[in-house]
Amino acid sequence: MEIVTGKAGVPHVSSADDGRRIAGEVGTGSYVLQTGGKLAPSLVDANTVRIATGDMIVQGRHIGVTSPEDVKVASGSQGKKRMDYICVHYTRDVSGSSPTLVETVEWKVLQGTPGSGAAAPSVPKGSILDGDADVTVPICSVTFDGLTTGQPKLLIPKLTPLADLGDSVSPSYLGGGNVGLLGCTVKADCWIVATCILIVRFSYVSGSMSSSDACELSSGAALVLPERLRPKSNILTMAFTSERFGKSVGAVVEPSGAVKLYFSTRSEIYGYGFENCACCIPLAI
């Protein structure tokens, strides 16, 4: 056992220590950080791919590109297709009896084999986290169709900052409105959480229920969801169920985006108001 973030009296914190911590926090793969130009690749000419500025985490190692860098690729072949990988090539000096253990990174192109299809090139096995001294990690790809070079594409995902991740799970109010249901006026307010969970809160406004063995939807929609949140089919979720009176209250979200209130009862109900309640609806968009 070793204390890493603590004073030991001698230099003892290594890049491997930092690498394991970073990998444990963000993941053991490779990711683009939301800085600079986010390493966006672009085609300068048929033989040059330009990598924009930015930062990435590659198997626990933080690698920065402070100014755009050009990577050369070989020309395509007439009548054939090919795919190349532009990679980060990591090395650690372990040569000789007194290795320096110095770590370096550089761009390296893995060239695919020309053929009738653009097959991905094989990538040598290796892992920085496992202690390998020579590791190649694909960052983006570029395809060739004959002599035409295609637009390069990033192969590693962009890492969502913690600030944005926190915002994505915070409830965002969408709106609401009053609807009529069996003689009552009820207000429904809607929030969206984590991009696809709809929260509907029902609040009694006025009126008295009058129902006998009914199953009814509200006379109108409390809210019409934006198109991006609309489900492919009706979704019904219960918010309140009473076995004693045989009644259920819930919400229905229609493919049109309309959010409506739902009420069902197996017995006569007269003179009652409407219970304040809420439900969560997974939209599965």
Side-chain angles (χ1 to χ4, degrees):
M1 181 184 296
E2 176 192 5
I3 183 168
V4 177
T5 54
K7 184 175 181 179
V10 293
H12 70 291
V13 180
S14 69
S15 59
D17 292 326
D18 258 353
R20 290 194 309 274
R21 178 182 58 80
I22 294 172
E25 291 173 346
V26 306
T28 58
S30 300
Y31 315 92
V32 176
L33 302 184
Q34 302 280 359
T35 59
K38 303 175 187 177
L39 304 180
S42 59
L43 195 65
V44 177
D45 55 46
N47 299 104
T48 309
V49 173
R50 178 163 295 164
I51 309 295
T53 61
D55 296 88
M56 56 184 148
I57 302 297
V58 177
Q59 298 179 11
R61 296 301 196 268
H62 174 200
I63 300 171
V65 179
T66 56
S67 60
E69 298 185 7
D70 291 346
V71 181
K72 293 296 182 179
V73 292
S75 299
S77 303
Q78 185 72 43
K80 295 184 178 181
K81 298 180 179 181
R82 193 182 86 227
M83 177 185 292
D84 290 356
Y85 281 164
I86 297 176
C87 309
V88 164
H89 183 213
Y90 163 93
T91 58
R92 187 176 74 257
D93 178 26
V94 292
S95 61
S97 57
S98 300
T100 64
L101 304 180
V102 169
E103 298 167 273
T104 59
V105 289
E106 62 181 355
W107 296 112
K108 178 179 180 179
V109 177
L110 291 181
Q111 186 171 313
T113 302
S116 57
S122 59
V123 180
K125 292 183 178 181
S127 168
I128 301 173
L129 291 169
D130 289 341
D132 293 327
D134 193 310
V135 179
T136 301
V137 180
I139 301 301
C140 62
S141 66
V142 57
T143 56
F144 302 83
D145 189 347
L147 299 178
T148 302
T149 306
Q151 290 296 326
K153 298 179 181 179
L154 269 176
L155 295 175
I156 61 177
K158 293 183 175 69
L159 197 66
T160 302
L162 290 177
D164 293 348
L165 186 62
D167 290 343
S168 72
V169 297
S170 300
S172 176
Y173 184 65
L174 297 175
N178 292 349
V179 296
L181 185 65
L182 298 172
C184 277
T185 299
V186 180
K187 184 181 181 184
D189 291 292
C190 301
W191 290 261
I192 194 72
V193 180
T195 71
C196 63
I197 304 297
L198 181 69
I199 298 176
V200 184
R201 184 185 67 188
F202 312 113
S203 304
Y204 171 75
V205 177
S206 62
S208 298
M209 281 193 161
S210 176
S211 170
S212 176
D213 194 18
C215 180
E216 185 171 323
L217 283 176
S218 59
S219 56
L223 178 73
V224 176
L225 298 177
E227 189 170 350
R228 63 184 175 84
L229 297 176
R230 297 174 186 176
K232 296 179 181 178
S233 58
N234 286 342
I235 300 177
L236 185 151
T237 300
M238 290 297 123
F240 174 85
T241 299
S242 171
E243 292 295 332
R244 179 182 177 186
F245 294 102
K247 65 178 180 178
S248 298
V249 176
V252 175
V253 183
E254 299 177 342
S256 64
V259 179
K260 297 182 177 181
L261 274 64
Y262 167 87
F263 183 86
S264 174
T265 180
R266 299 192 305 271
S267 60
E268 295 182 355
I269 294 179
Y270 296 100
Y272 285 90
F274 189 92
E275 293 87 351
N276 294 340
C277 51
C279 64
C280 294
I281 305 173
L283 296 177
I285 51 179

